[in-house]
Amino acid sequence: MIFLIFTLLVALFVAIFAVQNAAPVAINFFWYVAEVPLVLIILGAALAGALIVFFMAIWREFRLKGTVRAQAKAEIKAKSEPQDHVVPKDIVPKDMVPTEANPADKEDTALPPG
């Protein structure tokens, strides 16, 4: 709602500025010269900027939808393929992780010297 109010205020200020500057100006484009009211130049520039922002927003939305769609396909593919179930080591408590036997617990199977 705040964004809408801000946008309307900016549009109002641009319109007031454009109407107050209604004098004709000469526009030069290469060899073409035309007399155009400044109000049309200001409103045309504002409209061009708004269209650029609009098309960039649409492009961003399509790109985000494509990313979400690709992630969804990857998740479906990952769920459908069988996987080895591996439990990360940081989840299992350390006292439950099998380790090498303690050397003190091993039986002494060495032959006596001699």
Side-chain angles (χ1 to χ4, degrees), residues 106-112:
K106 288 185 179 180
E107 294 180 25
D108 190 13
T109 57
L111 296 174

Side-chain angles (χ1 to χ4, degrees), residues 47-62:
L47 179 64
L51 286 174
I52 289 170
V53 169
F54 175 72
F55 286 125
M56 287 178 67
I58 288 177
W59 177 66
R60 181 175 175 248
E61 285 295 320
F62 280 129

Side-chain angles (χ1 to χ4, degrees), residues 59-79:
W59 177 66
R60 181 175 175 248
E61 285 295 320
F62 280 129
R63 195 178 67 190
L64 288 175
K65 285 181 182 178
T67 303
V68 169
R69 195 173 300 127
Q71 287 177 349
K73 285 182 182 179
E75 288 177 7
I76 290 171
K77 184 178 178 183
K79 287 181 182 178

Side-chain angles (χ1 to χ4, degrees), residues 16-62:
I16 291 171
F17 178 76
V19 170
Q20 288 180 347
N21 293 290
V25 293
I27 300 296
N28 299 318
F29 188 71
F30 294 114
W31 57 88
Y32 179 74
V33 178
E35 287 276 327
V36 181
L38 185 58
V39 65
L40 292 180
I41 303 300
I42 294 170
L43 292 177
L47 179 64
L51 286 174
I52 289 170
V53 169
F54 175 72
F55 286 125
M56 287 178 67
I58 288 177
W59 177 66
R60 181 175 175 248
E61 285 295 320
F62 280 129

